[in-house]
Amino acid sequence: MTTLKAKLRAAVYLALRTGFRALPLSEGQRDRLRGRFLDRHSDWVPPPARGRLDVAGGDGARRPLVRADEPAIGHVPYRAEALPATLPATLVAFYLPQFHPIEQNDAWWGKGFTEWRNVTRALPQFEGHVQPRLPADLGFYDLRNPQIMREQASLAQEYGIGAFCFYYYWFSGTTLLETPLRQWLADDSIEMPFCLCWANENWARRWDGRGDDILIGQQHSAEDDIAFIAHVADYLRDRRALKVDGKPMLLVYRPHLLPDARATAQRWRQWCRDHDIGEIHLAYVQGFERPDPRDIDFDAAVEFPPNMSNPRSLTADQYLINPEFHGDVRDWRELASELAARPLPDYPLYPGVNPGWDNEARRSGRGRVYLHASPRGYRDWLSTTIHQRLAPIPPSQRLVFINAWNEWAEGAVLEPDLRLGHAYLDATRQALRTPTMRPATSRPCVLIHAREVGALTQRLNAIGGTGLEWRIIITTTEGLRPTIEQAVQQTSLVAEIEIVGDQGSDVLSFLQIAERLYVEGEQVLLNVSAGAPHAPHQLNADLAVADCASVAFRAFVSEPDLGMITVGSRGAVPASVSDRDLGALRARLGLGPATEEHGNGEATGPFWVRLSALRPLLDAHLPRSLFDDDAGTQAKAVIALLPSVVRHAGARVKEEAGLTR
């Protein structure tokens, strides 16, 4: 009966939602009505789809070993680089101050609680789920130490962040988590601009501000409006206050929670005029509603992704580690693509971007996870926002808000982490530069996996005889390095020698080298001996592909949509790689379900690939330990899925038989 009732309720909800979407309402009206409904009837929303309950051989769910502290493929170390002389926009990063203990949190969550407790308790709920996410350079900091915020400000500015927007917690005269902000205010050595965002919702046990299980509530009133603005006046007067057209900026998280937002805005403006602050610049956050700010006497709105967007669900595709996972998995790439292309409204709006989202740490087993976020995807979104969406806006008014600098328990972080290092900060700095076209394909690269020397000399001679100006990379073991160096010296070629380990090394080194070459601006790579480097048929294939190298390279130059050329027919997927292995990897890479037309098969010989067509694979930032299994299952699965990866990137795959000399 309970199941039938739930199904009927879900059907009614879906019918109501369809009718609601057909109503001729403004965005603001629609958001307000939706918010009221969810506050009262959130239990009517159908639960998300369930992931795959993976029972291996009937003996329970597979639980792969993972390490949260392992640098992944694509990890970026700190590096000092100059910013553009004139920044094209001011980047403002939201900042959470809940990284120090306070009396109230001790009472609500236990002695010594900070946000780090949430962060470190998180566990992966499905394969490829990156949890917990752990800090790198700044460590598990305590914001009672003023030096931490100095280091954060210095790091942020070095990578192009122009200001922090501190969340501010005011509850009718009681403030929470304000100590770090007061320390910042008192520390004149910090030069970084800042503003405040009043998080004016209730503080609830669910961390979402909804009306159940309230720990400390808001008491909005005209008197409270005046008390609030008087309390934050020191921040507005500070010389470092972020200003728009000379006016200090103040944000409100949810204006519709105010009894009369317009009246509040007018009280604040008048108080500031009367108390030597002057005019202020009021903005609200589009997290739950989207009114025209002018209708409530505000100056602007601020986009707040991932809110106010609803990309497709990926939950049903995931292979569960926790059979009791009831969370919701969405596609971050769709979020980024949709917002990057969203036209600006006719009212002032500051665009927002988001480096990722996963609040599993706050909602164990029920988190909302946005999969397939990547530093390069974030860079592209931010770059498009700065250089295209904001192009019509005067430079002095180009603000972009980033959600967030340090929301560690919600997976929205720019700070360095152990998995990717400074990758998101590096992507931020790249996005500020004027976009340039990648240079024309000028030379091919070749990656040779050398496990013995005899065949290497023949390969090098064959490659040298093509007449092309190759960039040659050779991977080998430490013990073979002297012999390999000697073999290269006996030719007229120059080669870069990379030392790799033993397990999974050919495929792992292929991914690591491909990542590096793509970052360095290279475009076409020939991979040889990735499979059975010692077999005679492999050597013959290597020589054959070198013989056709000019033809293949010309094809990549003349056919921009060509992504891959396989040499020889594609073999069957090895028996050691199951459909389940391929399905889990497809889900991890975001390739979608397999189709008959684009089935899987192992690339049994050398292959050419356009590096940009590997983005779905490279942007997954797989951990190196994934390739440590003795059977090489994951390595074989990656090779089997390469054609699918290339096609998912929108490129074509061509068989070697299609080449003509």
Side-chain angles (χ1 to χ4, degrees), residues 22 46 61 79 94 151 168 225 227 232 238 244 286 330 333 402 460 493 536 550 575 606 613 626:
R79 45 186 179 228
F94 284 100
E151 293 178 6
Y168 196 79
D225 288 345
V232 301
D238 192 87
V244 176
Q286 290 189 337
R330 300 281 169 166
R333 298 168 303 183
I402 301 174
L460 290 174
L493 303 173
S550 296
L626 188 70

XYZ file of all heavy atoms in Angstrom, residues 22 46 61 79 94 151 168 225 227 232 238 244 286 330 333 402 460 493 536 550 575 606 613 626:
188
model
N 3.580 25.193 -17.603
C 2.821 25.772 -18.713
C 2.201 27.121 -18.359
O 1.726 27.835 -19.252
C 1.720 24.794 -19.147
N 9.408 13.248 -6.018
C 9.806 11.841 -6.158
C 11.288 11.669 -5.876
O 12.105 12.527 -6.208
C 9.483 11.521 -7.629
C 8.487 12.553 -8.049
C 8.822 13.783 -7.260
N 28.504 -6.564 -2.918
C 28.876 -5.468 -3.808
C 30.390 -5.346 -3.909
O 31.112 -5.537 -2.940
C 28.276 -4.166 -3.298
N 52.808 26.856 -9.538
C 53.780 27.495 -10.421
C 53.450 28.985 -10.520
O 52.298 29.376 -10.625
C 53.839 26.843 -11.797
C 52.542 26.530 -12.463
C 52.777 25.749 -13.747
N 51.534 25.409 -14.411
C 51.241 24.203 -14.872
N 52.107 23.221 -14.759
N 50.083 23.961 -15.467
N 33.128 33.183 -3.503
C 32.431 33.010 -2.233
C 33.342 32.266 -1.254
O 34.061 31.336 -1.630
C 31.134 32.235 -2.431
C 30.027 33.044 -3.036
C 29.724 32.948 -4.388
C 29.288 33.915 -2.257
C 28.706 33.696 -4.948
C 28.264 34.670 -2.800
C 27.973 34.566 -4.158
N 47.640 33.960 3.914
C 48.109 33.034 2.885
C 47.027 32.793 1.831
O 47.326 32.701 0.629
C 48.531 31.718 3.530
C 49.755 31.831 4.409
C 50.117 30.515 5.079
O 49.468 29.494 4.759
O 51.031 30.502 5.913
N 28.053 35.777 5.690
C 27.906 36.485 6.960
C 26.648 35.977 7.656
O 25.561 35.947 7.059
C 27.818 37.991 6.726
C 28.054 38.803 7.965
C 29.343 39.016 8.437
C 26.995 39.338 8.691
C 29.574 39.747 9.592
C 27.210 40.063 9.844
C 28.510 40.263 10.289
O 28.733 40.986 11.438
N 16.557 45.188 10.543
C 17.229 45.762 9.367
C 18.249 46.820 9.786
O 19.393 46.822 9.321
C 16.202 46.411 8.432
C 15.342 45.392 7.703
O 15.703 44.202 7.689
O 14.311 45.805 7.132
N 19.569 47.301 12.822
C 20.627 46.721 13.654
C 21.670 46.013 12.784
O 22.880 46.101 13.048
C 20.019 45.742 14.655
N 27.282 45.891 10.324
C 28.229 45.616 9.231
C 28.843 46.900 8.666
O 29.582 46.844 7.681
C 27.558 44.814 8.086
C 27.017 43.496 8.617
C 26.460 45.623 7.393
N 35.431 50.052 5.210
C 36.833 49.656 5.062
C 37.352 50.007 3.670
O 36.628 49.896 2.671
C 36.976 48.156 5.309
C 38.422 47.735 5.460
O 38.940 47.789 6.580
O 39.046 47.373 4.438
N 31.486 48.887 -6.616
C 31.016 48.987 -7.997
C 30.652 50.447 -8.227
O 29.799 50.996 -7.521
C 29.800 48.078 -8.251
C 29.267 48.284 -9.667
C 30.170 46.610 -8.026
N 21.029 34.556 -6.792
C 19.991 33.762 -7.457
C 20.181 32.280 -7.133
O 20.490 31.460 -7.994
C 20.018 34.006 -8.960
C 19.537 35.386 -9.347
C 19.359 35.559 -10.845
O 19.956 34.840 -11.648
N 18.561 36.529 -11.245
N 24.049 14.274 -11.016
C 23.741 15.094 -12.193
C 25.006 15.308 -13.029
O 26.119 15.043 -12.588
C 23.172 16.447 -11.759
C 21.893 16.348 -10.939
C 20.684 16.112 -11.804
N 19.497 15.751 -11.036
C 18.263 15.759 -11.534
N 18.066 16.120 -12.784
N 17.247 15.403 -10.779
N 28.767 18.839 -16.706
C 29.094 19.375 -18.023
C 27.891 20.071 -18.652
O 28.032 21.089 -19.331
C 29.593 18.253 -18.932
C 30.870 17.576 -18.440
C 31.149 16.299 -19.196
N 30.031 15.362 -19.100
C 30.031 14.142 -19.623
N 31.097 13.697 -20.270
N 28.985 13.350 -19.497
N 32.377 33.245 -8.294
C 32.761 31.837 -8.357
C 32.282 31.140 -7.088
O 32.594 31.569 -5.975
C 34.291 31.685 -8.496
C 34.786 32.392 -9.758
C 34.680 30.205 -8.531
C 36.295 32.428 -9.899
N 62.983 3.454 -34.364
C 63.531 4.799 -34.527
C 63.980 5.042 -35.966
O 63.747 6.125 -36.529
C 64.702 5.003 -33.566
C 64.338 5.106 -32.076
C 65.600 5.147 -31.220
C 63.485 6.342 -31.815
N 68.305 11.278 -34.272
C 67.075 11.790 -33.673
C 67.312 12.301 -32.257
O 68.288 11.941 -31.597
C 66.013 10.686 -33.646
C 65.655 10.065 -35.003
C 64.725 8.878 -34.811
C 65.008 11.109 -35.910
N 56.419 -10.209 -32.522
C 56.850 -9.854 -33.881
C 55.777 -9.110 -34.664
O 56.071 -8.163 -35.386
C 57.179 -11.223 -34.497
C 57.488 -12.113 -33.331
C 56.597 -11.645 -32.237
N 53.262 9.856 -43.134
C 52.979 11.117 -43.829
C 51.524 11.204 -44.237
O 50.880 12.254 -44.137
C 53.886 11.250 -45.055
O 55.234 11.335 -44.664
N 38.988 -11.289 -22.777
C 38.069 -12.007 -21.900
C 38.165 -11.531 -20.461
O 37.197 -11.619 -19.698
C 38.357 -13.508 -21.981
N 49.276 -0.171 -33.068
C 49.485 1.266 -32.869
C 48.254 2.060 -33.297
O 47.411 1.574 -34.058
C 50.680 1.565 -33.781
C 51.303 0.240 -34.060
C 50.209 -0.758 -34.027
N 40.631 15.087 -28.801
C 39.567 14.085 -28.809
C 39.652 13.158 -27.600
O 38.747 12.349 -27.383
C 39.618 13.274 -30.099
N 44.569 3.048 -10.318
C 43.566 2.292 -11.073
C 44.225 1.259 -11.978
O 43.610 0.252 -12.330
C 42.723 3.263 -11.907
C 41.498 2.692 -12.619
C 40.428 2.316 -11.604
C 40.938 3.701 -13.617
